[in-house]
Amino acid sequence: MIYESRDVAATTRPRLLPWANLDGNPCYLVTDDTGTGRISRLADEIEAVQLGMADDLLGHAVDLLGDTRATAPQLRYLAACLAEALHDVHRIARSRGARLPVPPGDQEDLDAVPEGGPGN
């Protein structure tokens, strides 16, 4: 009889969560389930909220940038909000990209990428 390995570390990569710890460091989730656990569902919900807020902010940015009466403080605040939203969307993209299946033979390329991904 042949037994397959159930080694979680060999089959599951940590999921980058959409929040940081109190020190500002990234949080990760290691699980052996299919992404349907309580923390995975919470992370999915938070990602959906963050993406929705970023979309709403883009609409507001278009309106404000089209307003010739927009003040410098309003534009600086908009820039700060856009930077925060971009940070959230970038973290979501990294998290989702890291969970994509790696095609056979590409594992060596993945191992060569520094932690945090290319360009980080």
Side-chain angles (χ1 to χ4, degrees):
M1 184 179 276
I2 298 174
Y3 293 97
E4 292 183 1
S5 173
R6 303 268 326 189
D7 185 10
V8 174
T11 59
T12 303
R13 285 179 272 166
R15 175 184 178 169
L16 176 62
L17 295 172
W19 56 78
N21 67 15
L22 294 176
D23 296 326
N25 296 317
C27 294
Y28 293 90
L29 175 65
V30 178
T31 180
D32 61 351
D33 65 350
T34 60
T36 58
R38 185 175 177 183
I39 301 298
S40 292
R41 289 191 317 269
L42 177 62
D44 291 342
E45 291 170 10
I46 290 174
E47 286 179 354
V49 167
Q50 289 173 329
L51 291 172
M53 290 173 61
D55 188 50
D56 291 345
L57 182 60
L58 281 175
H60 179 67
V62 168
D63 292 342
L64 188 61
L65 292 172
D67 185 354
T68 58
R69 297 170 296 160
T71 65
Q74 288 173 318
L75 293 173
R76 278 195 298 275
Y77 181 71
L78 174 64
C81 291
L82 286 169
E84 184 178 345
L86 182 59
H87 173 77
D88 291 341
V89 170
H90 182 250
R91 181 190 303 254
I92 292 167
R94 286 187 1 237
S95 176
R96 292 181 179 183
R99 288 181 277 144
L100 291 173
V102 177
D106 285 352
Q107 185 62 39
E108 297 83 26
D109 295 338
L110 183 64
D111 293 337
V113 175
E115 186 163 332
N120 289 334

